[in-house]
mmCIF file of all heavy atoms in Angstrom:
data_model
loop_
_atom_site.group_PDB
_atom_site.id
_atom_site.type_symbol
_atom_site.label_atom_id
_atom_site.label_comp_id
_atom_site.label_asym_id
_atom_site.label_seq_id
_atom_site.Cartn_x
_atom_site.Cartn_y
_atom_site.Cartn_z
ATOM 1 N N PHE F 108 91.936 -135.095 162.384
ATOM 2 C CA PHE F 108 92.569 -135.090 161.102
ATOM 3 C C PHE F 108 93.787 -134.200 161.025
ATOM 4 O O PHE F 108 94.861 -134.603 160.472
ATOM 5 C CB PHE F 108 91.586 -134.724 160.013
ATOM 6 C CG PHE F 108 92.106 -134.965 158.581
ATOM 7 C CD1 PHE F 108 91.828 -136.120 157.948
ATOM 8 C CD2 PHE F 108 92.802 -133.964 157.903
ATOM 9 C CE1 PHE F 108 92.331 -136.355 156.653
ATOM 10 C CE2 PHE F 108 93.286 -134.171 156.636
ATOM 11 C CZ PHE F 108 93.021 -135.368 156.027
ATOM 12 N N VAL F 109 93.708 -132.986 161.517
ATOM 13 C CA VAL F 109 94.806 -132.049 161.416
ATOM 14 C C VAL F 109 96.074 -132.535 162.157
ATOM 15 O O VAL F 109 97.121 -132.604 161.529
ATOM 16 C CB VAL F 109 94.347 -130.633 161.902
ATOM 17 C CG1 VAL F 109 95.578 -129.683 162.017
ATOM 18 C CG2 VAL F 109 93.359 -130.008 160.912
ATOM 19 N N PRO F 110 95.992 -132.863 163.412
ATOM 20 C CA PRO F 110 97.267 -133.358 164.041
ATOM 21 C C PRO F 110 97.767 -134.645 163.458
ATOM 22 O O PRO F 110 98.959 -134.824 163.292
ATOM 23 C CB PRO F 110 96.886 -133.506 165.501
ATOM 24 C CG PRO F 110 95.451 -133.558 165.541
ATOM 25 C CD PRO F 110 94.926 -132.725 164.372
ATOM 26 N N LEU F 111 96.865 -135.581 163.094
ATOM 27 C CA LEU F 111 97.340 -136.811 162.561
ATOM 28 C C LEU F 111 98.019 -136.749 161.196
ATOM 29 O O LEU F 111 98.871 -137.492 160.893
ATOM 30 C CB LEU F 111 96.135 -137.795 162.437
ATOM 31 C CG LEU F 111 95.587 -138.404 163.752
ATOM 32 C CD1 LEU F 111 94.305 -139.142 163.528
ATOM 33 C CD2 LEU F 111 96.596 -139.314 164.387
ATOM 34 N N ASN F 112 97.615 -135.767 160.435
ATOM 35 C CA ASN F 112 98.141 -135.622 159.067
ATOM 36 C C ASN F 112 99.116 -134.472 158.859
ATOM 37 O O ASN F 112 99.885 -134.542 157.922
ATOM 38 C CB ASN F 112 96.953 -135.515 158.123
ATOM 39 C CG ASN F 112 96.165 -136.785 158.017
ATOM 40 O OD1 ASN F 112 96.518 -137.712 157.356
ATOM 41 N ND2 ASN F 112 95.055 -136.864 158.767
ATOM 42 N N TYR F 113 99.051 -133.470 159.665
ATOM 43 C CA TYR F 113 99.762 -132.201 159.426
ATOM 44 C C TYR F 113 100.780 -131.835 160.478
ATOM 45 O O TYR F 113 101.466 -130.818 160.360
ATOM 46 C CB TYR F 113 98.836 -131.030 159.249
ATOM 47 C CG TYR F 113 97.765 -131.132 158.225
ATOM 48 C CD1 TYR F 113 96.569 -130.440 158.293
ATOM 49 C CD2 TYR F 113 97.921 -132.002 157.110
ATOM 50 C CE1 TYR F 113 95.577 -130.557 157.379
ATOM 51 C CE2 TYR F 113 96.892 -132.076 156.169
ATOM 52 C CZ TYR F 113 95.730 -131.378 156.252
ATOM 53 O OH TYR F 113 94.739 -131.494 155.354
ATOM 54 N N ALA F 114 100.967 -132.657 161.513
ATOM 55 C CA ALA F 114 101.882 -132.290 162.591
ATOM 56 C C ALA F 114 103.361 -132.567 162.244
ATOM 57 O O ALA F 114 104.222 -131.939 162.853
ATOM 58 C CB ALA F 114 101.476 -132.992 163.873
ATOM 59 N N GLY F 115 103.618 -133.479 161.309
ATOM 60 C CA GLY F 115 104.992 -133.748 161.010
ATOM 61 C C GLY F 115 105.672 -134.710 162.041
ATOM 62 O O GLY F 115 106.901 -134.791 162.026
ATOM 63 N N MET F 116 104.845 -135.353 162.811
ATOM 64 C CA MET F 116 105.399 -136.262 163.878
ATOM 65 C C MET F 116 104.266 -137.178 164.310
ATOM 66 O O MET F 116 103.081 -137.026 163.932
ATOM 67 C CB MET F 116 105.929 -135.429 165.035
ATOM 68 C CG MET F 116 104.851 -134.612 165.716
ATOM 69 S SD MET F 116 105.501 -133.436 166.948
ATOM 70 C CE MET F 116 106.123 -132.158 165.821
ATOM 71 N N ARG F 117 104.605 -138.111 165.145
ATOM 72 C CA ARG F 117 103.594 -138.958 165.824
ATOM 73 C C ARG F 117 102.858 -138.091 166.870
ATOM 74 O O ARG F 117 103.494 -137.408 167.630
ATOM 75 C CB ARG F 117 104.146 -140.174 166.556
ATOM 76 C CG ARG F 117 104.766 -141.219 165.579
ATOM 77 C CD ARG F 117 105.293 -142.407 166.391
ATOM 78 N NE ARG F 117 105.834 -143.420 165.553
ATOM 79 C CZ ARG F 117 107.119 -143.531 165.266
ATOM 80 N NH1 ARG F 117 108.000 -142.617 165.690
ATOM 81 N NH2 ARG F 117 107.562 -144.519 164.516
ATOM 82 N N VAL F 118 101.517 -138.166 166.910
ATOM 83 C CA VAL F 118 100.756 -137.418 167.935
ATOM 84 C C VAL F 118 100.858 -138.070 169.292
ATOM 85 O O VAL F 118 100.607 -137.507 170.312
ATOM 86 C CB VAL F 118 99.344 -137.225 167.512
ATOM 87 C CG1 VAL F 118 99.266 -136.393 166.237
ATOM 88 C CG2 VAL F 118 98.613 -138.556 167.348
ATOM 89 N N THR F 119 101.207 -139.395 169.290
ATOM 90 C CA THR F 119 101.285 -140.164 170.564
ATOM 91 C C THR F 119 102.392 -139.674 171.483
ATOM 92 O O THR F 119 102.178 -139.493 172.676
ATOM 93 C CB THR F 119 101.411 -141.646 170.332
ATOM 94 O OG1 THR F 119 102.517 -141.840 169.417
ATOM 95 C CG2 THR F 119 100.183 -142.195 169.645
ATOM 96 N N ASP F 120 103.560 -139.455 170.920
ATOM 97 C CA ASP F 120 104.692 -139.069 171.745
ATOM 98 C C ASP F 120 105.586 -137.996 171.132
ATOM 99 O O ASP F 120 106.639 -137.623 171.699
ATOM 100 C CB ASP F 120 105.589 -140.369 172.010
ATOM 101 C CG ASP F 120 106.118 -141.020 170.705
ATOM 102 O OD1 ASP F 120 105.955 -140.407 169.634
ATOM 103 O OD2 ASP F 120 106.750 -142.070 170.816
ATOM 104 N N GLY F 121 105.177 -137.434 169.999
ATOM 105 C CA GLY F 121 105.942 -136.310 169.372
ATOM 106 C C GLY F 121 107.209 -136.765 168.678
ATOM 107 O O GLY F 121 107.976 -135.960 168.210
ATOM 108 N N SER F 122 107.422 -138.094 168.526
ATOM 109 C CA SER F 122 108.637 -138.549 167.847
ATOM 110 C C SER F 122 108.430 -138.537 166.381
ATOM 111 O O SER F 122 107.333 -138.433 165.771
ATOM 112 C CB SER F 122 108.926 -140.015 168.351
ATOM 113 O OG SER F 122 107.926 -140.900 167.915
ATOM 114 N N ARG F 123 109.582 -138.566 165.637
ATOM 115 C CA ARG F 123 109.623 -138.582 164.165
ATOM 116 C C ARG F 123 110.263 -139.860 163.710
ATOM 117 O O ARG F 123 111.180 -140.368 164.352
ATOM 118 C CB ARG F 123 110.355 -137.371 163.688
ATOM 119 C CG ARG F 123 109.693 -136.048 164.234
ATOM 120 C CD ARG F 123 110.425 -134.830 163.814
ATOM 121 N NE ARG F 123 109.803 -133.600 164.356
ATOM 122 C CZ ARG F 123 110.173 -132.418 164.071
ATOM 123 N NH1 ARG F 123 111.143 -132.160 163.192
ATOM 124 N NH2 ARG F 123 109.512 -131.396 164.608
ATOM 125 N N ALA F 124 109.767 -140.389 162.570
ATOM 126 C CA ALA F 124 110.235 -141.679 162.091
ATOM 127 C C ALA F 124 111.616 -141.613 161.435
ATOM 128 O O ALA F 124 112.295 -142.664 161.301
ATOM 129 C CB ALA F 124 109.186 -142.223 161.098
ATOM 130 N N TYR F 125 112.038 -140.429 160.982
ATOM 131 C CA TYR F 125 113.253 -140.303 160.254
ATOM 132 C C TYR F 125 114.315 -139.497 161.092
ATOM 133 O O TYR F 125 113.895 -138.631 161.894
ATOM 134 C CB TYR F 125 113.080 -139.604 158.901
ATOM 135 C CG TYR F 125 112.123 -140.273 157.944
ATOM 136 C CD1 TYR F 125 110.957 -139.669 157.573
ATOM 137 C CD2 TYR F 125 112.428 -141.554 157.427
ATOM 138 C CE1 TYR F 125 110.088 -140.319 156.645
ATOM 139 C CE2 TYR F 125 111.600 -142.148 156.526
ATOM 140 C CZ TYR F 125 110.420 -141.541 156.145
ATOM 141 O OH TYR F 125 109.576 -142.140 155.268
ATOM 142 N N ALA F 126 115.573 -139.716 160.777
ATOM 143 C CA ALA F 126 116.603 -138.890 161.345
ATOM 144 C C ALA F 126 117.819 -138.844 160.337
ATOM 145 O O ALA F 126 118.052 -139.855 159.671
ATOM 146 C CB ALA F 126 117.080 -139.440 162.706
ATOM 147 N N ASN F 127 118.490 -137.745 160.361
ATOM 148 C CA ASN F 127 119.745 -137.615 159.643
ATOM 149 C C ASN F 127 120.859 -137.422 160.704
ATOM 150 O O ASN F 127 121.064 -136.386 161.325
ATOM 151 C CB ASN F 127 119.739 -136.392 158.751
ATOM 152 C CG ASN F 127 120.961 -136.354 157.804
ATOM 153 O OD1 ASN F 127 121.953 -136.976 158.104
ATOM 154 N ND2 ASN F 127 120.796 -135.611 156.715
ATOM 155 N N GLY F 128 121.486 -138.586 160.986
ATOM 156 C CA GLY F 128 122.414 -138.609 162.130
ATOM 157 C C GLY F 128 121.577 -138.462 163.413
ATOM 158 O O GLY F 128 120.627 -139.202 163.667
ATOM 159 N N ASP F 129 121.895 -137.440 164.236
ATOM 160 C CA ASP F 129 121.163 -137.190 165.436
ATOM 161 C C ASP F 129 120.050 -136.210 165.252
ATOM 162 O O ASP F 129 119.289 -135.902 166.200
ATOM 163 C CB ASP F 129 122.152 -136.677 166.530
ATOM 164 C CG ASP F 129 123.145 -137.676 166.948
ATOM 165 O OD1 ASP F 129 122.881 -138.865 166.918
ATOM 166 O OD2 ASP F 129 124.286 -137.261 167.339
ATOM 167 N N ALA F 130 119.882 -135.695 164.045
ATOM 168 C CA ALA F 130 118.901 -134.634 163.782
ATOM 169 C C ALA F 130 117.574 -135.249 163.299
ATOM 170 O O ALA F 130 117.606 -135.924 162.275
ATOM 171 C CB ALA F 130 119.411 -133.645 162.806
ATOM 172 N N PRO F 131 116.468 -135.102 163.998
ATOM 173 C CA PRO F 131 115.206 -135.642 163.585
ATOM 174 C C PRO F 131 114.695 -134.929 162.269
ATOM 175 O O PRO F 131 114.947 -133.756 162.051
ATOM 176 C CB PRO F 131 114.282 -135.434 164.730
ATOM 177 C CG PRO F 131 114.850 -134.299 165.494
ATOM 178 C CD PRO F 131 116.368 -134.377 165.329
ATOM 179 N N VAL F 132 113.985 -135.662 161.455
ATOM 180 C CA VAL F 132 113.392 -135.155 160.230
ATOM 181 C C VAL F 132 111.871 -135.430 160.285
ATOM 182 O O VAL F 132 111.467 -136.454 160.621
ATOM 183 C CB VAL F 132 114.021 -135.832 158.995
ATOM 184 C CG1 VAL F 132 113.323 -135.373 157.756
ATOM 185 C CG2 VAL F 132 115.468 -135.564 158.949
#
Side-chain angles (χ1 to χ4, degrees):
F108 190 91
V109 170
L111 285 171
N112 292 279
Y113 303 155
M116 63 190 75
R117 294 182 177 92
V118 297
T119 52
D120 60 6
S122 64
R123 302 178 183 185
Y125 299 118
N127 190 338
D129 295 329
V132 176

